[in-house]
Amino acid sequence: MIAELKRLGIYLVHVTPSTEGFRLFFAVPHGMTLEEAQRWMSQQLGDADYDGCVKDLARCSFVVPRDYLLYLDEENLFKAPLASPLKGGRTEAPQAPLASPLKGGRTEAPQAPQAFSPSGLPPFRGDARGALSFKGIPYASIIREWFVRNGGEPQEGERNVKLHKLAVNLRAICDNKREVLMQVMPRFGLSDQELRSIVDSACKEEPKGVSKVMQQIVDHEERRMRNDESWDESETSEETRSSLLNASLKKALPIGLRESLKGVPESMHMPVLCSVMPIAAAYADQVEVEYCDGNRQRLGLMSIIRGEQASGKSVCKNVVDVWKRQLDEEDALARKREEEWKERKKSRKANEKAPEDPKVLIRMVPVTVSCSTLLKRFKNSNGHTLYSFGEELDTLRKTNGAGSWSSKYDIYRVAFDNGEWGQDYNSDQAESGVVKVAYNWTMLGTDGAMKKCFKSDNIENGLSSRILVAEMPDASFAKMPKFGRRSADDEARIQEAVTRLRSYSGFVDTPRLRKAIETWVEQKRVEAAKDIDRVKDTYRKRAAVIGFRCGVIHHLLEQEHESARESKRCLDFALMMAEYCLQQQISAFGEALQNEYVSAQGECQRYGANHSVFDQLPPTFMMDDLRAKKRGFCTDQSLRSIVSRWRRDGWIEKIDSKHWKKNVTL
């Protein structure tokens, strides 16, 4: 195929910007007009249908993404060749290269970042759609999204393993055909023989149907195409994360959760569910469960819903307001008793004994509550879980000084595991004591506020891994979302769900849920180990706990009697929440945590791990050399931090934009 392209003088083949056809760049044979050259090339390609409107060199063409390229002869494209073919087989000096669009079915080129090989070139006869797309979705788009969900494109040392895993997943939507896989698989520098070996190995394994991840990718790409969204390489896959709640799972949601999504745009379903989980768990505060490790737990949950200004976060407040009605009504009576006591205490005579403190149970506390008042509420809680809802995370940060904020961090961390916390003051004005902390909360905030709360000096303190984060959809230049209204029946069903959660007490056994979560967290451990990804390894552990507790809530709302087993719907929901939690934690906190790991490695092991890597580098090295030595342990930003530190310490000096020179031997 390459020889044929060179014989015809074709230097570039790419999918057109519209993705509705192909465009060829070839040298016009000597003596031919542009129109004659197009007709001649059409005949050479088997009477392909070409765009006869291109008749002059003034026609412009849009630049296309690299992965639209099917074939590239870069050397000859930008340097006029010595000769070009003619009809009779002899060659003469060519004229200027001509761009000739070929009409055809919608298609897209397979990814081939390092080599544009003949196996990546689709046939020009007929409709190439069947060979290069699945259900109208370009395989390149499917492969791109697969890499997004699987740790990015393969790095040094993992190429063959990662491409084999891709081939195993991809074959299910390629009819297990080796020739189709050879066309669509990215190569990353592999030869035909090497890629064929990977494809053959993948196709020898017993077919298991379309995997769950691949089905999610196909569903995601179908939605993207229906919505006519433009692809952006820098996309953060927010829609990918939000789409975890698929249609079948939504229909299977139990009482309370199902009604919480009524009238809510689909893109906001996950943030709404995450905002509801902590208060739902607070109502089930008399329940105890056993986790995969054998320890008993209560349902402690904290969530932050992040989104920019005017991103629609109020949709979460609206549903939480419905969920907390019963607590609000009970607290109103308790607060009235407390206010009456304060008035009697204030108005008593000098020699009159102070009225006895009623020690009322108040479970709804503001997020700005002082530590002393919070301690008092814990002491009077009678073993119940307190709950807070905050509309502005930044307000919480501003109303707490360094000391108070540090104490709140401690309280939040301890609350996740129902641990002990207290304070001891030599004053009657401040509350003293040690209590068991049961405290759930939901907060709304911007990305900026989150970054101020979770900075490099506290990102490792354990709080970030205990938080269920949800991200509102990007509202930049988007149309105004349309909201529906919950009916009175919907709100009554939510109250029924609240009553059901409050009715449970004691130990609830969930063996199937434990097994499902244990399998999931082990799968993530293996993934993190293969990628040497410390961030994923850190966040997978508590993401599993959070997913498990969400699954318990689903089970309590769904079951009709206490002896009922966990349903398949319950297990799917728990796994979905664990996966979503992990992705969101990595998205929100991963980079900061990774930088801390790199920084700690540099400061605490200056002459340890990085020292050995430094020794292994050649006297003059590039970033690729360092990347190969670190074997995917660090992100590119972290690698730049390492290089910056070496340069600061005088170990290296910069030669040019890509090269550094070692100054010392350590």
Side-chain angles (χ1 to χ4, degrees), residues 187-202:
R187 291 175 176 267
F188 295 100
L190 291 177
S191 65
D192 277 352
Q193 184 177 358
E194 290 171 320
L195 182 62
R196 174 68 67 179
S197 176
I198 290 175
V199 168
D200 287 344
S201 175

Side-chain angles (χ1 to χ4, degrees), residues 185 280 303 322 383:
M185 282 284 293
S303 67
V322 179

Side-chain angles (χ1 to χ4, degrees), residues 532-574:
I532 319 180
D533 189 339
R534 288 187 65 189
V535 170
K536 178 182 281 189
D537 188 54
T538 297
Y539 285 124
R540 70 177 174 90
K541 301 168 187 175
R542 290 200 177 103
V545 176
I546 292 171
F548 172 78
R549 292 177 182 178
C550 291
V552 172
I553 295 168
H554 187 290
H555 175 57
L556 296 177
L557 289 172
E558 183 180 49
Q559 68 174 340
E560 295 298 331
H561 50 85
E562 293 188 8
S563 61
R565 298 175 64 207
E566 312 95 295
S567 67
K568 177 65 164 52
R569 295 183 297 272
C570 168
L571 306 185
D572 290 342
F573 180 79

